[in-house]
Every structure is written in C-alpha cells, then in structure tokens.
Amino acid sequence: MENIIKIDFAKKTHAPKPINGVNNGPICKQGIVDLSRHFKKLHIPTIRLHDTDGANARFLVDVTRIFPNFDADENDEKNYFFGPTDRLLNAIHALGAEIVYRLGESIDHDKDAGWFATPPKDFDKWVRICIHIIRHYNEGWANGFELGIKYWEVWNEGEGINEHGLRCNWRNGTVEQLFDLYKKAVLGIKAYNPELKVGGMAFCSNDDGCKDFIKFCRANDLPLDFLSYHGYDKNISDIEYNALGVKQQLLDCDFNDTLVIYDEWNYVGFERDVPGDVWINIRNDDTPELAEENVKNQRSEVGGAYTAATLIKMNDLPIDIAHYYDGQCVSNWCGLFNAFAIPQKPYYSFLAYGDIYANCESLVETVCETPDFYALGATGKDFKAIMVSSYRGNEEYFGIDMMNLGEGRKKVEVYITDKDNNMLLDRVEYFNGDEVCQTLKLKKYALAYLKIYNI
C-alpha cells in the first residue's frame, strides 16, 4: 500500500500539549447557557477571556466594564462591578481549567466612534485598576476569591488596522503608546507580584507589530513571560510558518524561555476560488452570502478536519498553549457549537484530542507523508490512541503501521467523524501481535480516532 502512516509506540516524544484551550465559555448568552457539561467532556485545559459574551458585551471582563467610571477612586471597592465576571470565572475554576485573563477591552467595530477600545487616559491609573482586579480574583479583595490566576495578558490586537482603515482595538492610539502601556503594566504587576505571568500583546499575526514589540521588550529589558499572537487561516502551512517565525524572533532577542501562546485561531475562507480579500468578503454588507459560507465551513466537516489537523500539527510546533476562537455559542466564530449550543463537527475533533490530552501521558513518534493527511499517536495507562485528519486529502485507502504495541491480544475501536457521522463507532477489531497494519478509508474532510486496548 502506497499511503502508510507509521506509528512507533516505543518511541515517546513529549506529553500532549495544552493546545486545546478555547476563548470564553462555559457561560454565555448573558448567562442563559452553561456549556460546562460539554467543556468537561472536552477536557479544556485553559480558557482565555476576550470578546466575552460577544464583542462589546455589557458587563464582563473588560476593564471599563468592571471599573466603569475612570474618574472614580480606584482604591474604593464600591467603584468596581465584579458580579457577572465573578460568576463566569468561578464556573471556569470549577472545571479545573486555567484562566488567561486579558486586561484590556473587547474589539470595537463601530465605524464612526470608538467607545471602549481606546488608550486609557492615564496609563498609571489603569495599571492600578488592573492590580485591584488581580487582587479581587487572587487574594479576595473586595469580597473576592482566591482563584490562583497566573496568566495576565495586556491588551489585544492593538496594532491591527481593519478593512475600513480603523485601529478598532486601539482607537486613535499609536503603536508606541501601546508598547508604553505594556511597559507600565508589566513593571507594575511584577512589582505587585513577581510570580504572576505577564505577557502580550495578542498580536493579529506574526506581523511587524509583533516583531517590533519583541525588540522593544529586549531594548527596555522588560519581562515577557509569554508572547501571544493570532492566526485565522485555511492552510496548515500558514500556521507552521507563523509559529516558527514568532519563535525565531524571540530567540533572536534572547527570550529563550518565553512561552508562545497562539491564543486565537480558527478556519477562515472558502474551499473554492473567491476573488478579493477574505476579510472584506465576509464583512461586506453587499456579500452576506460569503459570510454565511465562511461560517458554514467553520462548523461543517471542512472546519472539523481543519480543527483536527491544527490540533495535531501544533504538537510539532513551538506553540506552548493555544486557544480556539471561539468557545461560546453566541459567537459567529464558534465552530464547536451552533447558536442553540448543539455540537458541530469541530467539537468532535476537540473530543478526540481532549481524550488524548486527559488520558495519555506521552505522544509517540508518528510519520505521515501522505499529502493533506495529519496523524498523531499517543500512549496511556489504559489505552493507546491514534488521531488522523484527512483535510483536503483524496478519498482513498491508507494503512496505519502500528509498531511496538506489546504482546498479547488487542482490541481496536475505530471512530469516524465526517460529513455524515459524528464520532461514529465504525467498527471494532481484534488482533494479536506486536506490529499490526490497520487499513482505513477516509472521505475528504474527515477524522478517524482509534483507541487500542489490551484484553
């Protein structure tokens, strides 16, 4: 057989990475929907908070929502409004997921004015407000909690300019001001508690702003516990290019221990030739059918296979933590659920990887040279696992050559997710031997998940 995936269970590589995090959830739709039962099944390791309950949500997370009157006394707890965010963070804490708290504002797409995502008029006071927010959630200030939140991200996509020429995450501000805010924030927060992990700045991509920021931190000898950036793509090669580029920039500036957080990612685009810029296409009032097509792709077998391929590929890249955008069913960017909280195709990719993440102590050497196929093998105490994504691959038979399975009788369960099936138990097979070649056939845009047990 020409198409062979080789998996050697004797050659352990590293633990499955916590790259199956999401943005937002489990509580969404202004508290009406609680997705906790789903998040538990998916074993979500980290949840990042940005655009929470939809961009420009009324009460959640953003500094201006928690401290609505910037002219008020920041030392008086009566001037803070924590209630809705308290409920959300406690729900996340109950899941056992770590929180990445974005200190800043949700995106503001308004074409005529920016209401919230603007540079604070007093950077020093803004930092003091942020420290009070940290104190509320980590040391109980203002009738707060002790949630032990480690990751504090400063702002989001402040360097980006959208298709309307607006800096909609940093309205009327400059990149120089953005970097100065980080400088004041990281020094202030580290002076308060040097054990906290502070980083940023959630850049739109591996762009000039991201590169200049890394150089700025080195030139000013600033702490940078993690570098965060985003990527909305439809080609797995673009994910690889940007991850390698970000890591090299960090190494070039001697940030050897800085974590890389890919904290917004999703499929964007079309599986056919569509002229013009994809972002203009999906945001243009004259082409709503293209916006709909993009959302359908994200939630269909296309997005499911892309999601599985991305989860697999990120384990081979210098990405330490990642967050899918978005995990709340209120968002058009949520491929995990539709608006009624019904799981969609990417949900089952997260279900397979979450099973591996929670139950397998190590990934193993996997060689997959078949174009547009991606594979991952793992071994745990109770079972061995294999995850294969056919993302744009031709519908054809392929072999999975499993080596060093150990002696004795084995049972393999084969689950399939494709256009017509959602984690369907396709078949159960039994075999003996230390090495076995399993033959499978996957449709284009499909996921196979195999679990192998000793019996």
Side-chain angles (χ1 to χ4, degrees), residues 269-290:
F270 315 99
E271 294 300 288
R272 61 188 180 91
D273 291 332
V274 177
D277 180 85
V278 64
W279 292 101
I280 293 177
N281 283 332
I282 64 176
R283 289 176 174 165
N284 191 332
D285 292 339
D286 295 329
T287 55
E289 69 279 359
L290 293 180

Short mmCIF file of all heavy atoms in Angstrom, two decimals, residues 269-290:
data_model
loop_
_atom_site.label_atom_id
_atom_site.label_comp_id
_atom_site.label_asym_id
_atom_site.label_seq_id
_atom_site.Cartn_x
_atom_site.Cartn_y
_atom_site.Cartn_z
N GLY A 269 -12.25 31.36 5.42
CA GLY A 269 -12.12 31.31 3.97
C GLY A 269 -13.12 30.40 3.29
O GLY A 269 -14.20 30.12 3.83
N PHE A 270 -12.71 29.95 2.12
CA PHE A 270 -13.62 29.21 1.25
C PHE A 270 -12.85 28.05 0.61
O PHE A 270 -11.64 28.13 0.41
CB PHE A 270 -14.17 30.12 0.16
CG PHE A 270 -14.62 31.47 0.68
CD1 PHE A 270 -13.80 32.58 0.56
CD2 PHE A 270 -15.84 31.60 1.32
CE1 PHE A 270 -14.20 33.81 1.05
CE2 PHE A 270 -16.24 32.82 1.83
CZ PHE A 270 -15.42 33.94 1.70
N GLU A 271 -13.56 27.00 0.30
CA GLU A 271 -12.95 25.85 -0.36
C GLU A 271 -13.18 25.93 -1.88
O GLU A 271 -13.34 24.92 -2.55
CB GLU A 271 -13.51 24.55 0.21
CG GLU A 271 -13.14 24.33 1.66
CD GLU A 271 -11.62 24.28 1.88
OE1 GLU A 271 -11.01 23.28 1.49
OE2 GLU A 271 -11.08 25.25 2.45
N ARG A 272 -13.19 27.13 -2.37
CA ARG A 272 -13.28 27.41 -3.81
C ARG A 272 -12.64 28.76 -4.04
O ARG A 272 -12.35 29.51 -3.10
CB ARG A 272 -14.74 27.44 -4.26
CG ARG A 272 -15.58 28.52 -3.57
CD ARG A 272 -17.05 28.41 -3.90
NE ARG A 272 -17.83 29.46 -3.24
CZ ARG A 272 -18.11 30.65 -3.79
NH1 ARG A 272 -17.66 30.94 -5.00
NH2 ARG A 272 -18.84 31.54 -3.13
N ASP A 273 -12.37 29.08 -5.30
CA ASP A 273 -11.74 30.35 -5.62
C ASP A 273 -12.76 31.48 -5.52
O ASP A 273 -13.77 31.49 -6.22
CB ASP A 273 -11.16 30.31 -7.04
CG ASP A 273 -9.95 29.38 -7.14
OD1 ASP A 273 -9.27 29.20 -6.12
OD2 ASP A 273 -9.72 28.84 -8.23
N VAL A 274 -12.48 32.42 -4.61
CA VAL A 274 -13.31 33.60 -4.44
C VAL A 274 -12.41 34.82 -4.56
O VAL A 274 -11.49 34.99 -3.75
CB VAL A 274 -14.03 33.60 -3.07
CG1 VAL A 274 -14.84 34.88 -2.90
CG2 VAL A 274 -14.93 32.38 -2.93
N PRO A 275 -12.61 35.67 -5.56
CA PRO A 275 -11.72 36.82 -5.72
C PRO A 275 -11.88 37.82 -4.58
O PRO A 275 -12.94 37.93 -3.97
CB PRO A 275 -12.17 37.43 -7.06
CG PRO A 275 -13.58 36.96 -7.24
CD PRO A 275 -13.64 35.60 -6.61
N GLY A 276 -10.80 38.55 -4.30
CA GLY A 276 -10.85 39.60 -3.29
C GLY A 276 -10.33 39.15 -1.94
O GLY A 276 -10.08 37.96 -1.71
N ASP A 277 -10.16 40.11 -1.06
CA ASP A 277 -9.67 39.85 0.30
C ASP A 277 -10.74 39.13 1.11
O ASP A 277 -11.90 39.55 1.13
CB ASP A 277 -9.29 41.17 0.97
CG ASP A 277 -8.79 40.98 2.38
OD1 ASP A 277 -7.59 40.72 2.54
OD2 ASP A 277 -9.61 41.07 3.31
N VAL A 278 -10.35 38.07 1.81
CA VAL A 278 -11.33 37.26 2.52
C VAL A 278 -12.03 38.05 3.61
O VAL A 278 -13.24 37.90 3.82
CB VAL A 278 -10.66 35.99 3.10
CG1 VAL A 278 -9.61 36.34 4.16
CG2 VAL A 278 -11.71 35.06 3.70
N TRP A 279 -11.33 38.95 4.30
CA TRP A 279 -11.94 39.71 5.39
C TRP A 279 -12.95 40.71 4.86
O TRP A 279 -14.01 40.93 5.47
CB TRP A 279 -10.87 40.39 6.22
CG TRP A 279 -10.04 39.41 6.96
CD1 TRP A 279 -8.79 38.95 6.64
CD2 TRP A 279 -10.42 38.70 8.15
NE1 TRP A 279 -8.37 38.02 7.54
CE2 TRP A 279 -9.34 37.84 8.49
CE3 TRP A 279 -11.55 38.71 8.97
CZ2 TRP A 279 -9.37 37.01 9.61
CZ3 TRP A 279 -11.58 37.88 10.08
CH2 TRP A 279 -10.50 37.05 10.38
N ILE A 280 -12.64 41.34 3.73
CA ILE A 280 -13.61 42.24 3.12
C ILE A 280 -14.82 41.46 2.64
O ILE A 280 -15.98 41.87 2.83
CB ILE A 280 -12.96 43.02 1.97
CG1 ILE A 280 -11.88 43.98 2.52
CG2 ILE A 280 -14.01 43.80 1.19
CD1 ILE A 280 -11.13 44.75 1.46
N ASN A 281 -14.57 40.29 2.07
CA ASN A 281 -15.67 39.46 1.58
C ASN A 281 -16.66 39.09 2.67
O ASN A 281 -17.87 39.13 2.48
CB ASN A 281 -15.13 38.19 0.93
CG ASN A 281 -14.57 38.43 -0.45
OD1 ASN A 281 -15.00 39.35 -1.15
ND2 ASN A 281 -13.60 37.63 -0.86
N ILE A 282 -16.13 38.71 3.84
CA ILE A 282 -17.03 38.20 4.88
C ILE A 282 -17.60 39.31 5.76
O ILE A 282 -18.47 39.04 6.59
CB ILE A 282 -16.35 37.13 5.75
CG1 ILE A 282 -15.18 37.72 6.55
CG2 ILE A 282 -15.89 35.96 4.90
CD1 ILE A 282 -14.53 36.72 7.50
N ARG A 283 -17.13 40.55 5.57
CA ARG A 283 -17.64 41.67 6.36
C ARG A 283 -18.33 42.72 5.51
O ARG A 283 -18.80 43.74 6.03
CB ARG A 283 -16.52 42.31 7.16
CG ARG A 283 -16.03 41.44 8.32
CD ARG A 283 -14.85 42.08 9.01
NE ARG A 283 -14.46 41.33 10.21
CZ ARG A 283 -13.31 41.49 10.85
NH1 ARG A 283 -12.43 42.38 10.41
NH2 ARG A 283 -13.02 40.79 11.92
N ASN A 284 -18.41 42.47 4.22
CA ASN A 284 -19.02 43.43 3.31
C ASN A 284 -20.54 43.27 3.34
O ASN A 284 -21.06 42.17 3.16
CB ASN A 284 -18.48 43.19 1.88
CG ASN A 284 -18.85 44.31 0.93
OD1 ASN A 284 -19.87 44.98 1.12
ND2 ASN A 284 -18.03 44.50 -0.08
N ASP A 285 -21.24 44.37 3.53
CA ASP A 285 -22.70 44.31 3.57
C ASP A 285 -23.30 43.79 2.26
O ASP A 285 -24.43 43.29 2.24
CB ASP A 285 -23.28 45.70 3.86
CG ASP A 285 -22.97 46.18 5.26
OD1 ASP A 285 -22.66 45.33 6.12
OD2 ASP A 285 -23.02 47.40 5.50
N ASP A 286 -22.54 43.93 1.16
CA ASP A 286 -23.05 43.51 -0.15
C ASP A 286 -22.86 42.02 -0.41
O ASP A 286 -23.38 41.51 -1.41
CB ASP A 286 -22.36 44.31 -1.26
CG ASP A 286 -22.68 45.79 -1.20
OD1 ASP A 286 -23.80 46.13 -0.75
OD2 ASP A 286 -21.82 46.61 -1.57
N THR A 287 -22.09 41.32 0.44
CA THR A 287 -21.84 39.89 0.19
C THR A 287 -22.11 39.07 1.45
O THR A 287 -21.24 38.33 1.93
CB THR A 287 -20.39 39.67 -0.28
OG1 THR A 287 -19.48 40.24 0.68
CG2 THR A 287 -20.15 40.28 -1.65
N PRO A 288 -23.32 39.15 2.00
CA PRO A 288 -23.61 38.38 3.21
C PRO A 288 -23.55 36.88 2.97
O PRO A 288 -23.31 36.11 3.90
CB PRO A 288 -25.02 38.83 3.59
CG PRO A 288 -25.62 39.30 2.31
CD PRO A 288 -24.48 39.93 1.55
N GLU A 289 -23.75 36.46 1.71
CA GLU A 289 -23.70 35.03 1.42
C GLU A 289 -22.30 34.46 1.61
O GLU A 289 -22.13 33.28 1.94
CB GLU A 289 -24.18 34.76 -0.02
CG GLU A 289 -23.27 35.26 -1.11
CD GLU A 289 -23.41 36.76 -1.42
OE1 GLU A 289 -24.26 37.42 -0.78
OE2 GLU A 289 -22.67 37.25 -2.30
N LEU A 290 -21.26 35.31 1.46
CA LEU A 290 -19.89 34.85 1.70
C LEU A 290 -19.61 34.72 3.20
O LEU A 290 -18.91 33.80 3.62
CB LEU A 290 -18.89 35.79 1.04
CG LEU A 290 -18.93 35.82 -0.49
CD1 LEU A 290 -17.90 36.80 -1.04
CD2 LEU A 290 -18.70 34.43 -1.08
#
